Amino acid sequence: MKKYDLQISKEHHNKIKLRKKKFLIVQKSLVPRIAIGDILELHTKKNCISGSNIFMRNRNKNNQYNIISARAISIMTDTLYNCDEVLDSLLVMYGGYDLREVKEELNRDFQIDYLREDHIIIELKIF
């Protein structure tokens, strides 16, 4: 089991913290060889627009880390996401998250309607 530190936007961090968002779209290069069961420590940076970046320890004003620990419980690749059933909205759920929310995030943050080859979607379980 590996552990990854990822920096995400404050908006995504808050949604995950409140359990309104159960997935994360991440560049494969930031989580090489990620597997189901691996741990992700999610951190925020004020002006991070979207997506994930390599994290350099960041403390809040109380000198405490603003960290969410989550386990990867499923991983969706571009091959699976970009199949006709997903793109045509025939398949709307994958694991515990709604693929329509993924589609909205891709449109909003990346201005595309497909998952890029160098990205994956990780389903998260906060602990």
Side-chain angles (χ1 to χ4, degrees), residues 2-103:
K2 293 183 181 177
K3 185 164 100 175
Y4 296 93
D5 290 324
L6 295 176
Q7 183 176 328
I8 61 175
S9 71
K10 192 171 185 176
E11 173 192 355
H12 295 296
H13 187 274
N14 289 338
K15 285 181 180 179
I16 291 168
K17 188 175 183 177
L18 295 171
R19 301 177 194 270
K20 292 182 178 181
K21 180 177 172 177
K22 298 179 180 182
F23 66 90
L24 194 59
I25 300 171
V26 184
Q27 288 181 1
K28 288 180 188 177
S29 62
L30 297 176
V31 287
R33 296 190 269 297
I34 189 166
I36 293 171
D38 286 352
I39 306 297
L40 293 105
E41 289 195 342
L42 309 174
H43 316 269
T44 62
K45 179 183 176 190
K46 275 188 178 177
N47 296 322
C48 183
I49 295 171
S50 67
S52 302
N53 301 309
I54 295 173
F55 174 74
M56 295 162 63
R57 290 261 179 219
N58 178 18
R59 296 176 186 231
N60 64 18
K61 49 186 155 178
N62 296 327
N63 208 29
Q64 296 176 334
Y65 295 118
N66 194 10
I67 300 171
I68 297 173
S69 293
R71 186 175 308 279
I73 58 173
S74 74
I75 299 167
M76 180 181 265
T77 63
D78 61 299
T79 305
L80 182 55
Y81 182 83
N82 294 331
C83 72
D84 292 339
E85 289 82 4
V86 174
L87 295 178
D88 294 340
S89 298
L90 299 174
L91 177 66
V92 294
M93 294 298 292
Y94 185 81
Y97 62 94
D98 190 328
L99 293 170
R100 292 170 291 194
E101 293 175 17
V102 174
K103 190 177 281 191

